[in-house]
Amino acid sequence: MGENQANNSIIYKDIFLSYGSKRCLEKNSYLLERGSPANELWYITQGTVRAFCTGYDGEDITLFYISENNIIYLESLIPNSVIIQDAQAITPITFYALSSEKFFQIVRPELPAFEAMFSHFLNRIILLHEYILCSHFRESSKRVAYLLYATYKHSGPVIPYTHEQIAAITGINRISANRILNGFAKEKIISLGYRHIKVLSPSRLSEVFNSIGSFSNSQE
């Protein structure tokens, strides 16, 4: 998350811990079903959630990952809304649930917090939009480059995804993802660390997905 989102999360955390209901889910548990009524927000204090949809062939397509200190089910802020995406706990998770009605009662007197919430909601929509655009690139190297670039623009230079997660989001296999990322690292476009990637040259990432043809070190 960017600095503003991190600061907003501190405000939200106090609200959820003070007024919310603490709950836990085991690893691999599915969260609320898509299409069910959206009437409460969840603040994740521990663990990671995978947001996904189901393709025409019945296979799950990973959209993005949501880690601790983030709010999910922001659609609950819209009256008479429903859950818009499926989600699964990929680790054990702990969260605090708060009804949207109660949340509005708390934040309405605090306009800055209320505005920050909708800013957070908009950022999540933008993030989902970027991942959808990522899927339109035919070449795997361009998909990975676009994902890294979009995440960099949204959250900063440190990309908190593993190689496996990047492969899942872009829809390519793990071996291809490793080869592409290693190629980018060799070209000094990124650096690879333990469970994270650091973008060194966003402009060169942009050149990859805006170019004609494949990146030299990213052939499948």
Side-chain angles (χ1 to χ4, degrees):
M1 293 186 299
E3 182 178 353
N4 290 338
Q5 290 186 39
N7 290 336
N8 292 340
S9 292
I10 294 174
I11 297 174
Y12 303 147
K13 185 173 183 178
D14 290 341
I15 292 174
F16 279 86
L17 267 60
S18 298
Y19 300 96
S21 173
K22 183 179 179 180
R23 302 177 193 169
C24 299
L25 286 175
E26 297 179 355
K27 179 180 178 180
N28 296 327
S29 298
Y30 288 94
L31 279 60
L32 301 179
E33 184 178 358
R34 183 167 60 90
S36 61
N39 48 33
E40 63 180 21
L41 301 100
W42 292 8
Y43 185 95
I44 301 174
T45 56
Q46 184 176 8
T48 302
V49 169
R50 176 180 74 100
F52 68 94
C53 63
T54 304
Y56 293 111
D57 57 0
E59 295 293 326
D60 288 350
I61 301 172
T62 299
L63 299 173
F64 50 80
Y65 295 87
I66 306 168
S67 58
E68 58 192 43
N69 297 325
N70 270 289
I71 299 171
I72 60 175
Y73 299 132
L74 290 164
E75 54 265 42
S76 302
L77 297 174
I78 303 172
N80 303 314
S81 61
V82 298
I83 304 300
I84 60 175
Q85 63 196 28
D86 292 309
Q88 180 185 27
I90 63 171
T91 69
I93 65 169
T94 302
F95 62 94
Y96 285 77
L98 184 64
S99 71
S100 53
E101 180 181 1
K102 182 66 174 179
F103 182 83
F104 276 120
Q105 291 175 359
I106 297 168
V107 303
R108 186 169 284 131
E110 303 177 24
L111 186 58
F114 189 69
E115 291 176 340
M117 168 60 72
F118 276 93
S119 174
H120 190 79
F121 193 13
L122 180 60
N123 282 332
R124 184 67 54 76
I125 293 173
I126 292 171
L127 186 62
L128 179 58
H129 174 260
E130 296 288 8
Y131 291 157
I132 291 172
L133 288 178
C134 171
S135 68
H136 287 277
F137 290 100
R138 290 187 176 183
E139 298 169 31
S140 297
S141 59
K142 291 187 177 184
R143 288 189 182 190
V144 174
Y146 188 86
L147 174 64
L148 295 177
Y149 182 82
T151 308
Y152 162 82
K153 294 288 287 185
H154 181 78
S155 304
V158 177
I159 312 298
Y161 289 153
T162 64
H163 292 201
E164 183 177 6
Q165 290 172 339
I166 287 175
I169 293 172
T170 56
I172 64 178
N173 62 58
R174 173 70 179 274
I175 295 175
S176 293
N178 287 344
R179 183 160 56 242
I180 291 167
L181 291 169
N182 287 331
F184 289 169
K186 185 177 180 180
E187 294 290 325
K188 308 297 185 185
I189 298 175
I190 62 173
S191 64
L192 302 177
Y194 177 69
R195 299 187 68 84
H196 78 273
I197 296 164
K198 184 173 183 179
V199 174
L200 302 178
S201 178
S203 62
R204 294 191 63 194
L205 278 177
S206 177
E207 289 173 3
V208 173
F209 62 80
N210 281 314
S211 66
I212 299 176
S214 301
F215 183 73
S216 59
N217 288 314
S218 307
Q219 300 289 342
E220 291 190 28

